Amino acid sequence: MGRVESIESQIQGLSPQELATLREWFADFDAEVWDRQFEADVQAGKLDAMAERALRDHLAGHSTKLRITTPRLIFGPAIKFFPLR
């Protein structure tokens, strides 16, 4: 049995409370890893072309206004898109 399979087996044996704790830890861990990768990509200039294109499109009137709202769910703020008219 490989490492991933072993971890899967252990996860299946967790109580609901342990699973909730693991889920919260993993979400934080995964976000931190993603943030580090994103920051490395920014520092390396990998997003510069996309940013320049987005700014050009915005200046040309090809962007959409955003309205930040808070949904009734407990998952935090959401962004709703409303087309320009």
Side-chain angles (χ1 to χ4, degrees):
M1 181 183 293
R3 288 178 64 189
V4 172
E5 291 84 4
S6 175
I7 293 168
E8 288 172 351
S9 176
Q10 291 176 36
I11 289 172
Q12 290 172 355
L14 295 176
S15 71
Q17 180 58 44
E18 290 170 324
L19 186 57
T21 301
L22 174 65
R23 189 179 293 118
E24 185 178 338
W25 172 84
F26 189 79
D28 291 342
F29 172 78
D30 195 40
E32 193 174 309
V33 170
W34 190 89
D35 286 347
R36 283 195 303 267
Q37 182 61 56
F38 184 82
E39 184 60 33
D41 289 348
V42 168
Q43 294 298 322
K46 292 182 179 181
L47 305 175
D48 290 354
M50 270 194 293
E52 290 170 10
R53 180 177 176 194
L55 289 172
R56 275 195 317 271
D57 287 348
H58 176 69
L59 292 173
H62 301 292
S63 58
T64 302
K65 288 185 180 182
L66 301 179
R67 187 175 108 199
I68 308 293
T69 63
T70 303
R72 293 183 184 141
L73 301 175
I74 60 170
F75 299 113
I79 299 175
K80 295 200 175 188
F81 296 86
F82 296 93
L84 294 174
R85 294 181 193 230

